[in-house]
């Protein structure tokens, strides 16, 4: 697939958010990446369902909603999901991952599963039919501005081979964490399709 850019709204200027959104529309970014953190699954608290609703009033750019929260299946009703959105939940965040993925599928969004840097890709063995995207965390989630975990570059390559060998050619690979211009080129060569652009992409 063609490369797509998902702009991290955690890194936006909240005092001038409308101006930032107009600029993102002007340069035709593909998604707005919304990080939702609960201070349980990750050690931080960030954006909220109300933030998403406010952004919806300002733009038609689809959302790329990254739920870094425990037991996300219990909280899906809080969110203003729309067709065309990507919604990512973490494999590590729930003991009932297939139930959570099915709940997203029933809503009608593009279903994504996120993997932390040390989570093996073989954990996807029985999930490929349930997903549209795999989000590879190339830093440990929780904070912007972290250094790349070097091993994740080979993980991107291995994941592309893994998916293609198991009927998952349709599954896109998204990368999130220290996606600098240099790293983005390396990630693209390894097989990444969607790039979360944040503080490292300025």
């Amino acid at each position: 697939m063609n490369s797509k850019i998902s702009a991290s709204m955690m890194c936006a200027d909240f005092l001038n958010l409308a101006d930032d959104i107009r600029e993102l529309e002007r340069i035709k970014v593909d998604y707005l990446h919304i990080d939702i953190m609960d201070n349980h699954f990750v050690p931080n608290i960030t954006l909220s369902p109300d933030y998403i609703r406010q952004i919806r009033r300002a733009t038609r750019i689809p959302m790329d909603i990254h739920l870094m929260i425990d037991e996300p299946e219990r909280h899906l009703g809080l969110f203003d999901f729309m067709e065309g959105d990507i919604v990512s939940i973490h494999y590590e965040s729930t003991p009932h991952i297939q139930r959570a993925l099915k709940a997203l599928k029933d809503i009608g969004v593009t279903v994504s599963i996120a993997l932390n840097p040390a989570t093996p890709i073989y954990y996807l063995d029985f999930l490929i039919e349930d997903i549209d995207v795999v989000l590879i965390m190339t830093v440990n989630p929780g904070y912007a501005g972290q250094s790349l975990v070097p091993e994740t570059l080979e993980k991107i390559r291995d994941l592309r081979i893994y998916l293609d060998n198991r009927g998952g050619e349709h599954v896109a690979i998204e990368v999130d964490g220290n996606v600098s211009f240099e790293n983005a080129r390396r990630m693209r060569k390894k097989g990444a399709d969607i790039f979360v652009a944040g503080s490292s992409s300025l």
Side-chain angles (χ1 to χ4, degrees), residues 116-137:
N116 283 341
T119 300
I121 60 176
Y122 67 77
Y123 281 23
L124 303 176
D125 277 358
F126 301 102
L127 300 174
I128 294 174
E129 294 301 316
D130 301 314
I131 58 177
D132 306 298
V133 178
V134 178
L135 171 57
I136 293 291
M137 293 302 302

Side-chain angles (χ1 to χ4, degrees), residues 90-103:
H90 273 260
Y91 181 93
E92 308 88 358
S93 68
T94 174
H96 305 294
I97 189 65
Q98 286 172 316
R99 181 184 300 164
L101 294 171
K102 183 180 185 304

Side-chain angles (χ1 to χ4, degrees), residues 38 49 67 69-81:
D38 63 359
L67 298 179
I69 61 177
D70 281 332
E71 297 183 278
E73 66 275 17
R74 297 179 55 230
H75 307 290
L76 299 181
L78 299 174
F79 293 92
D80 178 27
F81 297 133

